[in-house]
Amino acid sequence: MLTKKQLFTRGMLDISPHMLSVIPFGIICGAIGVELGFHPYLVYAMSFIIFGGASQIVFLQLLSGGASSLVAVASVGIINSRHLLYGAVLSEYLEKLSFIKKLLISYVVVDQGFAESNKFFKKNRNEEFLYYHLIGTGCTMWVCWQIATLSGIVLGSFVPEELGLKFAIPLTFIAIVVQDLKKLDHVIVMITCGLSSLLFFDAPFKSYIIISPVIALFVAAILLRLKK
């Protein structure tokens, strides 16, 4: 049986390779926030509260583009709704913990940490304190993300405005979805989302940001049924 410290350390080591992509992404998030005209304290506070790269960029972009606070918050909620699935998968390993402990651990659960911990959990079901591996991955991600975001904020303050960093927003999301271009059903869903956003672009309160992914999810559900 591994001790709590050993499991925590293992989690830190398992998540470490992901830092090669997470740290540059964090720097971009911090720099973009400053570039879009937000106060550095606000950008860093957002990184502390939301703690999610894609969500933070979407939140900043929507607010800077004139979207209402309601639409911005709802969009972040939709993007982060995948964590409901993470929680459902991890629940069997955390069922003995108190509600407060589960709540605290949920704050540091991120995509990469979930993937590594879930893989470790399946191979080591008999370990008593498995959740320390999840805490190890989450805390490592959190510390590196905060440092990277802070570095980006400092960097964004020195980058000349004429050079601009706004181009990094579409490039970042292209990098996220480019791997899904290999699958036809994923391409259909992305095209549907893009066409829907154009069709409903003039919807009140910039709500096309919410309408288009909902339509795309509906199409994805139909495609899944057809595949089965």
Side-chain angles (χ1 to χ4, degrees):
M1 297 292 287
L2 297 174
T3 64
K4 295 177 180 179
K5 183 178 180 180
Q6 288 173 325
L7 286 167
F8 185 88
T9 305
R10 179 64 183 274
M12 293 178 62
L13 294 175
D14 287 345
I15 199 69
S16 295
H18 292 279
M19 296 306 104
L20 293 175
S21 60
V22 169
I23 291 176
F25 194 16
I27 293 174
I28 288 175
C29 284
I32 286 177
V34 176
E35 174 71 13
L36 291 175
F38 292 95
H39 196 283
Y41 289 119
L42 177 62
V43 177
Y44 185 70
M46 181 190 61
S47 181
F48 188 87
I49 296 170
I50 298 178
F51 183 36
S55 303
Q56 291 177 215
I57 290 181
V58 168
F59 189 74
L60 289 171
Q61 190 176 23
L62 286 174
L63 289 181
S64 65
S68 67
S69 300
L70 180 61
V71 169
V73 172
S75 300
V76 170
I78 290 174
I79 292 171
N80 287 336
S81 61
R82 66 189 184 281
H83 287 268
L84 296 173
L85 299 177
Y86 296 168
V89 173
L90 295 173
S91 60
E92 63 174 300
Y93 306 106
L94 308 177
E95 59 183 358
K96 295 181 180 180
L97 299 181
S98 66
F99 175 75
I100 297 299
K101 287 183 178 180
K102 291 178 183 178
L103 196 62
L104 292 174
I105 292 174
S106 68
Y107 171 66
V108 295
V109 175
V110 292
D111 299 340
Q112 297 87 343
F114 166 78
E116 292 297 335
S117 290
N118 188 44
K119 186 165 56 178
F120 182 82
F121 290 173
K122 289 179 179 179
K123 296 179 180 178
N124 302 272
R125 290 180 178 273
N126 296 325
E127 293 291 340
E128 184 177 357
F129 304 106
L130 275 176
Y131 58 92
Y132 271 85
H133 185 280
L134 186 62
I135 296 174
T137 60
C139 288
T140 303
M141 281 285 297
W142 188 88
V143 171
C144 291
W145 182 257
Q146 302 307 320
I147 294 175
T149 304
L150 188 60
S151 301
I153 292 171
V154 174
L155 175 65
S157 301
F158 291 101
V159 173
E161 186 176 350
E162 56 269 17
L163 293 180
L165 289 171
K166 295 180 182 178
F167 73 96
I169 295 177
L171 290 181
T172 299
F173 287 107
I174 288 173
I176 292 173
V177 303
V178 69
Q179 293 183 347
D180 291 322
L181 295 175
K182 299 176 183 178
K183 300 178 180 179
L184 179 60
D185 52 345
H186 290 191
V187 173
I188 293 174
V189 172
M190 284 188 274
I191 291 175
T192 301
C193 191
L195 292 176
S196 299
S197 64
L198 292 175
L199 182 63
F200 294 98
F201 185 77
D202 294 325
F205 307 111
K206 302 283 185 179
S207 56
Y208 73 93
I209 295 293
I210 298 175
I211 296 172
S212 54
V214 168
I215 294 174
L217 286 173
F218 180 73
V219 172
I222 295 175
L223 290 174
L224 285 174
R225 284 183 173 274
L226 292 175
K227 287 178 69 176
K228 290 181 179 180

